[in-house]
Amino acid sequence: MALRLGAIVEALGGVLHGDAELSIDGIAPLESAGPSQLAFLSNPKYQQQLAYSQAGCVIVGAAQADMALARGACIVADAPYLYFAKVTQLWKRQRPVPTGPAVHPSAVIDPSAQIDPSARIGPLCVVERGARIGADTVLKSRVTVGEDCSIGARCLLHAGVVIGADGFGFAPNAGAWEKIEQLGAVRIGNDVEIGANTCIDRGALLDTVISDGVKLDNLIQIGHNVFVGAHTAMAGCVGVAGSAHIGAHCTVGGGAIVLGHLTLADHVNISAGTVATRSISQPGHYTGMFPIDDNAKWEKNAASLKQLHSLRDRLKAVEKTLEQLQQSPEKP
């Protein structure tokens, strides 16, 4: 498959400097792209790679236009990374449309489930009683959609996703555990993408809710009764404990944890590896981690960190003593 540079610009905009008839047969990273491939530069940190790139054409912003022109053909766009994303979408649209049945013969669909005729259900999927799958939604292989759970339109669920397993709810009973039946469901909005082997638990009483436009990476755990606001994105291995409420347009970095019953406001960004232990009411970028170090140094620093409270009290006592000495009258 190949596209002319001119056809790409006609479809997506931008300003082309170079041969509009140049045939592009692939998209590749800046450092490895060849003469018939398209690359992009969005982070100025990597602009030194631009001069040495063998790419047939590079997508750049206005600030890198002169450097790109000195190298060869380029497309100048207001937001190079966004332009690159749209190129990948354009590229995929040129591929052949999948053929075969919309519901794979190996899928198990309960007769009471409602599946839009335009949805595609992949091999070995299970859609349980009362579940609903919206228009143009795609379930890749081995996806399970539990009883009474609903998925909106234009969603993409990758292999191994489980929607609507029981939430983790048990009451102590004389040294054993009594199961709390999970009577809610999971409601997923439109245009949601969920990565491979991610699990979203059904609610205990109310539903777990994933709002429109949410993007979840692989291996994420969403606990029961969690609410995730519109267009929030989470990277791999994030864990969100039960009844947490996460606002719209938030980001949660890989491996981060949000403890249960907390609330994150809209536009909160949580760094990778952070454990959110309190609610956050103001937008912003939040980080909570102890930097990696040589183990011996880390142990010494950790030991000192544990003493900070007592050191603070001692420092306050010293400051108070000094203040008293300064205020006392001088001896003759």
Side-chain angles (χ1 to χ4, degrees):
M1 192 188 90
L3 287 172
R4 294 184 306 107
L5 270 181
I8 293 172
V9 174
E10 287 167 10
L12 303 179
V15 179
L16 173 63
H17 298 274
D19 183 5
E21 299 302 315
L22 178 65
S23 180
I24 296 295
D25 61 16
I27 309 167
L30 192 62
E31 68 274 15
S32 61
S36 61
Q37 293 179 312
L38 180 64
F40 75 97
L41 172 65
S42 63
N43 190 333
K45 182 169 66 174
Y46 301 110
Q47 66 183 14
Q48 63 183 17
Q49 297 177 2
L50 183 60
Y52 304 102
S53 177
Q54 299 300 307
C57 183
V58 179
I59 304 162
V60 296
Q64 285 77 41
D66 290 342
M67 185 181 298
L69 283 168
R71 188 209 64 89
C74 66
I75 297 172
V76 180
D78 292 337
Y81 194 57
L82 178 59
Y83 196 96
F84 158 71
K86 291 183 177 180
V87 170
T88 64
Q89 295 169 10
L90 177 65
W91 204 265
K92 187 169 184 179
R93 288 198 296 271
Q94 308 307 310
R95 292 180 175 177
V97 176
T99 57
V103 177
H104 193 275
S106 65
V108 178
I109 312 293
D110 189 276
S112 68
Q114 300 176 29
I115 299 177
D116 189 275
S118 63
R120 298 191 67 87
I121 311 299
L124 302 174
C125 288
V126 176
V127 182
E128 296 183 352
R129 181 180 60 186
R132 298 179 298 282
I133 311 296
D136 297 311
T137 283
V138 175
L139 274 55
K140 297 291 189 177
S141 62
R142 298 181 183 275
V143 171
T144 296
V145 181
E147 182 177 337
D148 294 325
C149 296
S150 64
I151 300 173
R154 300 175 302 280
C155 295
L156 174 58
L157 278 62
H158 290 277
V161 165
V162 176
I163 305 298
D166 275 0
F168 192 70
F170 299 90
N173 181 13
W177 296 103
E178 196 76 23
K179 182 175 177 62
I180 300 170
E181 294 296 343
Q182 305 294 291
L183 305 178
V186 177
R187 288 187 286 120
I188 295 175
N190 300 326
D191 303 300
V192 171
E193 183 163 345
I194 302 175
N197 293 324
T198 283
C199 298
I200 302 176
D201 290 346
R202 65 175 58 248
L205 297 176
L206 301 176
D207 294 343
T208 301
V209 176
I210 309 296
S211 303
D212 292 350
V214 167
K215 311 300 180 188
L216 302 179
D217 198 358
N218 302 333
L219 295 167
I220 288 174
Q221 164 65 28
I222 304 292
H224 58 184
N225 299 107
V226 167
F227 177 92
V228 180
H231 305 292
T232 282
M234 300 183 190
C237 298
V238 164
V240 182
S243 299
H245 187 288
I246 298 176
H249 301 282
C250 294
T251 60
V252 184
I257 302 293
V258 180
L259 298 186
H261 300 272
L262 300 184
T263 297
L264 305 186
D266 296 348
H267 298 283
V268 165
N269 304 312
I270 302 294
S271 293
T274 292
V275 179
T277 58
R278 61 178 176 84
S279 293
I280 298 173
S281 59
Q282 297 297 323
H285 190 173
Y286 295 83
T287 303
M289 63 184 72
F290 202 79
I292 190 170
D293 203 346
D294 171 80
N295 186 68
K297 292 180 181 177
W298 186 92
E299 288 182 348
K300 291 178 181 178
N301 288 332
S304 299
L305 188 64
K306 290 172 66 175
Q307 302 300 320
L308 281 180
H309 184 76
S310 61
L311 289 172
R312 183 188 66 174
D313 290 344
R314 290 166 60 186
L315 179 59
K316 284 185 175 180
V318 170
E319 289 176 339
K320 186 175 181 180
T321 300
L322 289 174
E323 184 179 351
Q324 290 173 345
L325 289 173
Q326 290 172 352
Q327 291 176 353
S328 63
E330 295 184 5
K331 294 182 180 180

